Amino acid sequence: KAGVTQTPRYLIKTRGQQVTLSCSPISGHRSVSWYQQTPGQGLQFLFEYFSETQRNKGNFPGRFSGRQFSNSRSEMNVSTLELGDSALYLCASSEGQGALHEQFFGPGTRLTVL
Amino acid sequence: AQSVTQLGSHVSVSEGALVLLRCNYSSSVPPYLFWYVQYPNQGLQLLLKYTTGATLVKGINGFEAEFKKSETSFHLTKPSAHMSDAAEYFCAVSESWGDKIIFGKGTRLHILP
């Protein structure tokens, strides 16, 4: 099976712009989670989608949003970008919702905000 | 709310020496605990997990971790370090099967020749 794919792999934006990141899960996986990884904060949970519904949410402002499509692919959107949004954004897929199902991570999208 | 503290953002060990990466958690209920590894320029990979039952958990690549409730710890060990173990390691916790996973800030393991 193909692994989790994330596009684009690298992205450069300026403050105030918005960005959309895409994640294609492993075939058959119905849950997609998003994380923000920065050197100072490690991995921080953004949200989890299962069957097109947001099931869990982290402590991020409303500028961060996501959605999941019927084929389980997911997108994450960040509006009004700030310098502090520069990070590696990781997507993980699993067969089911929540912690008991092993998460498989993609390579990430490196976002740089100038 | 659950949280994870990893002691030491960088740990260096000599090749062949014991690897010990420390993790303490905070949880209001019996937790589910995880260790993930991230090799350079790659995504995270699950090393091992504790859900219930035996407190000593064995994972891939010779790693193991022991759940100690009295110490709220879940330290990761490997008897003999190999150069290929150089990576960043993340401890994580979840409070229920359907809940999100909360990660620690990570420990970068350096292997000295």
Side-chain angles (χ1 to χ4, degrees), chain A residues 16-84:
Chain A
Q17 287 187 309
Q18 75 166 21
V19 66
T20 299
L21 312 181
S22 180
C23 172
S24 294
I26 292 171
S27 177
H29 286 193
R30 297 169 60 195
S31 174
V32 172
S33 298
W34 287 90
Y35 298 86
Q36 181 194 67
Q37 184 177 10
T38 58
Q41 298 299 318
L43 266 80
Q44 293 186 282
F45 174 79
L46 281 155
F47 26 67
E48 177 185 14
Y49 286 87
F50 178 77
S51 293
E52 302 179 65
T53 302
Q54 187 179 93
R55 304 290 179 157
N56 286 299
K57 189 177 188 305
N59 298 322
F60 277 81
R63 300 185 297 107
F64 292 82
S65 63
R67 59 179 176 169
Q68 187 179 35
F69 301 95
S70 59
N71 62 358
S72 295
R73 190 177 70 84
S74 177
E75 287 182 347
M76 190 193 91
N77 185 274
V78 187
S79 62
T80 319
L81 284 166
E82 301 177 359
L83 295 179

Side-chain angles (χ1 to χ4, degrees), chain B residues 2-113:
Chain B
Q2 68 270 40
S3 66
V4 170
T5 301
Q6 292 185 240
L7 298 176
S9 56
H10 292 266
V11 170
S12 296
V13 301
S14 298
E15 191 173 19
L18 170 73
V19 175
L20 171 61
L21 303 182
R22 300 177 186 274
C23 171
N24 289 91
Y25 68 90
S26 172
S27 175
S28 58
V29 299
Y32 301 132
L33 295 161
F34 310 83
W35 276 100
Y36 280 82
V37 60
Q38 185 178 33
Y39 297 104
N41 300 315
Q42 294 186 29
L44 276 72
Q45 178 184 7
L46 180 66
L47 270 178
L48 50 80
K49 69 179 178 184
Y50 168 80
T51 54
T52 60
T55 56
L56 182 62
V57 181
K58 294 187 185 299
I60 62 173
N61 301 337
F63 285 93
E64 62 183 36
E66 186 171 10
F67 169 58
K68 292 187 176 181
K69 183 179 178 181
S70 61
E71 299 177 8
T72 61
S73 69
F74 191 57
H75 302 331
L76 182 71
T77 60
K78 182 175 180 177
S80 177
H82 192 274
M83 295 299 290
S84 61
D85 295 327
E88 190 156 21
Y89 292 80
F90 293 89
C91 182
V93 64
S94 179
E95 287 192 329
S96 73
W97 68 267
D99 202 1
K100 56 186 178 287
I101 299 176
I102 301 300
F103 285 81
K105 294 186 178 183
T107 297
R108 186 165 296 278
L109 177 63
H110 304 271
I111 309 297
L112 307 174

